[in-house]
Amino acid sequence: MARMLVVLAQIPGSSRDKKNKPEWGKSGEFDCPACKEGKVRWSRASVNGHVRAACTTPDCFGVME
């Protein structure tokens, strides 16, 4: 759970912000703050703002809202 919170804090936008959706429909990549080795690749759905993200390091981090 701690890894998830650290990583999700780096992803812009929020799926709960229904009025301001500037980050919905975007994707990106950044250095993983959890393992400090891999890259986190993420995307935010344009329809509902849900996030899909995973670290390139095996068994580090992965989440799908």
Side-chain angles (χ1 to χ4, degrees), residues 2-3 11 13 15 19-20 23-24 26 31-32 47 50 58 60 62:
R3 280 181 188 246
I11 298 174
S15 61
K19 292 182 181 177
N20 302 308
E23 304 301 333
W24 288 21
K26 293 188 178 181
D31 293 333
C32 182
V47 175
H50 287 189
C60 175

Side-chain angles (χ1 to χ4, degrees), residues 27-43:
S27 62
E29 181 178 282
F30 54 87
D31 293 333
C32 182
C35 73
K36 313 264 192 262
E37 294 176 18
K39 298 268 187 190
V40 173
R41 294 183 181 137
W42 65 273
S43 64

Side-chain angles (χ1 to χ4, degrees), residues 11 14 23 44 51 59:
I11 298 174
S14 169
E23 304 301 333
R44 185 174 294 282
V51 170
D59 300 322

Side-chain angles (χ1 to χ4, degrees), residues 51-62:
V51 170
R52 184 179 288 205
C55 180
T56 57
T57 303
D59 300 322
C60 175
F61 170 82

